Amino acid sequence: MTDLTASNEQFGFFCAHDIDCLTLDDLPTLWVHTEDELYALIDEIDSIDIVALDTEFIRRSTYHPILALLQINTGQAIYLVDAPKLDLTDLWQALIEVPMMVWYACGEDLGIFYSLAKNTPLTNVFDVQIGVAYLTGRTQMGYSQAVSEILGVKLDKGESKSDWLNRPLSPEQEIYAANDVRYLLTLYKAVKSKLEEKNTLHHAHEDSNIYAKELHDITNISDDALYLEFYTPEYNRLQIGVLKELVMWREVLARAINEPRTFIINKQAMREIIEILPDSIKLLARTTINRGSLRKYGDEIIRIIRMVKSQPQEKLPPLPPPIYRSKEKPFKNALDQAISAYGQSTNIPENLLLKGRWINDLLIMVAQDIPDDELPFGLQGYRKAWVIDTLLPILRQYKPQILAGLNLE
């Protein structure tokens, strides 16, 4: 049995006092294959306040991800839910209603959750990776590394690329899948305890739910807004018009034939097409579009490009919000000093305080005199007073330079 009680000198982590760490290896692993077993699990979830979750899914050759396995640690047992065999509608609802869902690096997992559950943004999420970042400043620490450094447990990651649709799973796959949640509740409680000591638990929880909201927005983005993923400030309105139509066409087609978008046009080929706007198969063939797509869809791609080119200027999409691209950032030193001071006063790592896109949003607010109460969603929590009282006044001192950097003079 693994001894989880030894402290980690680098971080000073320890197993939470209300968890018997030595029993973790003894948690039973139970399969959920039948409807009766599923509803027994739902009844258990309805009676508890916290669960830890992970997913295994396949998305190599399909548009829609295939959920192959859902792992749930209730604190009493680890459940491996045979997702392809079951209708999980009631399970999703039970999880939505549980007071706390604990994940680690939940980006892809919540994408699957939202796709299948069709629910509103979750507000009961704690991403332990975000909690670890609040303690260490390290934003990309993986689960196995966190379990090793914080709990002293070495995990075998050899099955990460397995075929999770295979039944029965091999013993190695089953152990790997169970271990992805076996230590997660204890890891959460250890991290939670240290965050409470630093008075930053609320901040990490808030950022977990900001992330959950962002993932919901990404999962539910409308087809006519998907083109923004490819947008660069160098594109003119004609290029944006072609980009918008091509991305919408690709999305509808990929969904209809259940193939990944990139099987039709990958990102590099899409950028090349928008740069040269080919109006013949010969010109299109000069891009890196795969030859199969050129044969099957080349004529349609050319039709879309010609159609957009024929539109009058006023029918083309407007330019998206500007992006500050200038290398001249006269406000940077003052902004960095304010970030450093706030980080020191709150015990929050500086790299977690402001995302790049939030800074760009603040620059646009200054340039366009947008009211303070229209802050981006991510800045409306604990950062709000600091942003309004400190950051925006600093940036407003540089409004002429910001206008120039955003090409809004």
Side-chain angles (χ1 to χ4, degrees):
M1 183 169 299
T2 308
D3 182 3
L4 305 182
T5 61
S7 64
N8 180 288
E9 292 183 1
Q10 181 179 359
F11 301 114
F13 286 113
F14 54 87
C15 293
H17 63 80
D18 57 343
I19 289 291
D20 182 358
C21 298
L22 294 176
T23 66
L24 285 178
D25 289 340
D26 296 329
L27 274 180
T29 299
L30 306 174
W31 271 94
V32 178
H33 291 298
T34 69
E35 187 174 289
D36 287 344
E37 291 167 341
L38 177 64
Y39 280 95
L41 170 58
I42 291 172
D43 288 342
E44 183 172 338
I45 290 172
D46 287 341
S47 69
I48 59 179
D49 293 331
I50 184 170
V51 294
L53 302 104
D54 190 43
T55 66
E56 304 297 344
F57 61 92
I58 306 295
R59 197 176 189 169
R60 289 189 289 267
S61 60
T62 61
Y63 173 88
H64 299 284
I66 302 171
L67 180 60
L69 193 68
L70 176 63
Q71 303 104 290
I72 301 177
N73 182 347
T74 65
Q76 301 301 315
I78 294 167
Y79 294 91
L80 303 182
V81 181
D82 195 356
K85 291 182 64 174
L86 298 164
D87 180 351
L88 301 183
T89 302
D90 291 338
L91 176 60
W92 298 134
Q93 189 58 42
L95 292 171
I96 290 166
E97 294 173 359
V98 77
M100 180 70 71
M101 286 197 291
V102 175
W103 305 80
Y104 198 98
C106 66
E108 291 182 324
D109 300 301
L110 285 194
I112 299 287
F113 194 110
Y114 287 136
S115 295
L116 297 176
K118 307 297 183 185
N119 57 300
T120 56
L122 293 165
T123 58
N124 61 343
V125 169
F126 191 92
D127 188 327
V128 180
Q129 186 179 61
I130 291 175
V132 170
Y134 265 83
L135 293 174
T136 68
R138 296 158 65 182
T139 59
Q140 299 298 319
M141 186 186 293
Y143 173 68
S144 60
Q145 184 180 1
V147 169
S148 174
E149 295 191 15
I150 297 171
L151 300 181
V153 178
K154 302 294 184 183
L155 296 179
D156 182 1
K157 300 298 288 183
E159 299 298 324
S160 60
K161 303 300 183 183
S162 289
D163 178 5
W164 292 104
L165 289 172
N166 182 53
R167 293 294 184 272
L169 294 184
S170 69
E172 293 78 14
Q173 285 179 302
E174 189 170 308
I175 292 170
Y176 172 94
N179 281 347
D180 271 350
V181 292
R182 181 176 300 280
Y183 306 102
L184 187 48
L185 282 181
T186 299
L187 184 66
Y188 161 72
K189 296 200 176 213
V191 170
K192 175 176 178 282
S193 177
K194 301 304 289 186
L195 290 169
E196 287 173 333
E197 288 181 16
K198 294 167 68 71
N199 294 316
T200 55
L201 176 61
H202 166 75
H203 306 78
H205 189 263
E206 180 180 300
D207 276 8
S208 293
N209 286 305
I210 288 171
Y211 189 33
K213 169 69 163 55
E214 292 172 346
L215 292 167
H216 183 272
D217 292 345
I218 291 169
T219 304
N220 292 280
I221 190 170
S222 62
D223 290 356
D224 63 357
L226 286 169
Y227 74 97
L228 293 170
E229 174 189 352
F230 296 88
Y231 168 73
T232 71
E234 290 75 26
Y235 289 165
N236 57 39
R237 289 183 65 187
L238 174 59
Q239 289 173 306
I240 293 172
V242 173
L243 178 65
K244 181 177 180 179
E245 293 296 328
L246 276 182
V247 171
M248 281 196 296
W249 164 79
R250 185 186 71 161
E251 192 71 11
V252 172
L253 177 61
R255 196 156 48 224
I257 63 177
N258 196 25
E259 287 188 1
R261 305 170 182 93
T262 55
F263 281 23
I264 301 169
I265 307 177
N266 64 30
K267 286 188 176 182
Q268 179 61 31
M270 185 71 77
R271 292 190 181 101
E272 293 168 358
I273 291 169
I274 300 308
E275 286 170 6
I276 67 174
L277 297 181
D279 59 3
S280 69
I281 294 294
K282 182 177 180 180
L283 290 174
L284 180 60
R286 294 178 183 175
T287 71
T288 56
I289 187 171
N290 72 72
R291 300 303 97 175
S293 290
L294 181 66
R295 290 191 300 272
K296 289 190 284 187
Y297 311 123
D299 289 339
E300 182 64 12
I301 293 170
I302 297 303
R303 184 197 68 76
I304 291 170
I305 294 172
R306 289 174 177 172
M307 180 269 293
V308 177
K309 282 184 173 181
S310 69
Q311 293 179 346
Q313 183 77 5
E314 61 270 18
K315 293 290 187 181
L316 295 173
L319 294 174
I323 298 174
Y324 193 95
R325 306 281 287 187
S326 174
K327 294 181 180 179
E328 300 297 325
K329 296 183 173 122
F331 50 81
K332 184 177 186 302
N333 287 339
L335 198 63
D336 287 346
Q337 290 173 12
I339 293 170
S340 178
Y342 189 70
Q344 291 176 19
S345 69
T346 58
N347 288 321
I348 298 173
E350 296 173 23
N351 60 329
L352 302 183
L353 289 173
L354 280 181
K355 297 180 181 179
R357 66 176 180 276
W358 291 344
I359 295 175
N360 193 75
D361 290 340
L362 293 178
L363 296 178
I364 293 173
M365 287 182 67
V366 169
Q368 299 181 346
D369 296 319
I370 296 173
D372 291 353
D373 60 4
E374 296 184 25
L375 285 173
F377 174 76
L379 297 178
Q380 291 177 15
Y382 77 83
R383 299 171 176 88
K384 182 177 181 179
W386 171 59
V387 170
I388 291 175
D389 297 340
T390 302
L391 299 191
L392 285 174
I394 289 172
L395 294 175
R396 286 181 180 125
Q397 299 175 43
Y398 299 93
K399 182 175 178 179
Q401 297 94 323
I402 292 171
L403 286 166
L406 290 168
N407 293 319
L408 294 176
E409 288 183 302

